[in-house]
């Protein structure tokens, strides 16, 4: 059992082709985050619709996923910064909108950070 809160920060721009797979991989974690903070950077595709469809699937999704729509384009760096700034958890996981996470990513990384008292942990991708 963990005694810390966990957030996932996701900046997105025109990610309709990837965001559903990404969100489902986070929602299927063995250790769920307390929240998923998504900052949409004025997407011109159906990114926001895809996210809202997933939010509306269940009460858990409505509680966990929070979407913020920027009023003007911030660009990748500032949008990431905004997503991080909206997180209030003890631990913040960063994710691009086109990532896919293995089912135990959060629990594995949480244990690595928590049990070693490290301030940051990085993992490889393929």
């Amino acid at each position: 059992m963990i005694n810390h809160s966990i957030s996932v920060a996701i900046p997105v721009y025109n990610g309709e082709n990837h965001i559903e797979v990404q969100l489902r991989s986070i929602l299927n974690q063995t250790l769920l985050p307390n929240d998923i903070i998504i900052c949409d950077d004025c997407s011109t595709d159906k990114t926001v619709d895809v996210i809202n469809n997933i939010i509306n699937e269940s009460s858990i999704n409505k509680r966990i996923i929070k979407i913020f729509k920027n009023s003007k384009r911030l660009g990748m760096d500032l949008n990431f910064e905004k997503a991080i700034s909206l997180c209030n958890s003890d631990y913040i996981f960063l994710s691009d909108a086109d990532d896919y996470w293995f089912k135990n990513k959060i629990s594995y990384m949480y244990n690595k950070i928590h049990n070693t008292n490290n301030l940051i942990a990085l993992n490889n991708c393929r």
Side-chain angles (χ1 to χ4, degrees):
M1 184 166 147
I2 68 165
N3 296 321
H4 298 95
S5 55
I6 296 171
S7 291
V8 178
I10 305 174
V12 64
Y13 173 72
N14 286 350
E16 77 173 298
N17 293 329
H18 305 285
I19 194 69
E20 180 175 2
V21 170
Q22 166 57 331
L23 285 176
R24 294 202 187 283
S25 75
I26 296 171
L27 293 168
N28 287 321
Q29 290 292 300
T30 56
L31 175 61
L32 277 177
N34 298 82
D35 54 26
I36 301 168
I37 305 296
I38 303 170
C39 285
D40 179 73
D41 204 18
C42 302
S43 292
T44 57
D45 64 1
K46 295 184 190 295
T47 297
V48 173
D49 294 336
V50 171
I51 295 166
N52 283 325
N53 286 340
I54 294 170
I55 289 171
N56 291 323
E57 284 178 354
S58 74
S59 60
I60 293 172
N61 293 2
K62 287 178 185 172
R63 179 183 55 81
I64 294 176
I65 303 170
K66 298 169 181 72
I67 184 168
F68 299 87
K69 296 180 236 172
N70 298 338
S71 58
K72 65 176 186 166
R73 289 277 327 268
L74 298 178
M76 183 179 67
D77 292 343
L78 290 177
N79 198 33
F80 233 128
E81 187 177 308
K82 179 179 177 183
I84 293 166
S85 74
L86 293 168
C87 296
N88 294 312
S89 294
D90 300 314
Y91 294 93
I92 301 172
F93 285 73
L94 308 180
S95 180
D96 291 322
D98 62 349
D99 289 350
Y100 172 84
W101 290 9
F102 293 119
K103 287 181 81 87
N104 66 337
K105 176 183 173 128
I106 292 177
S107 63
Y108 179 84
M109 295 303 289
Y110 171 81
N111 287 324
K112 287 291 183 188
I113 295 169
H114 184 68
N115 293 331
T116 60
N117 292 319
N118 289 330
L119 296 176
I120 190 169
L122 302 173
N123 65 298
N124 202 354
C125 63
R126 52 180 152 163

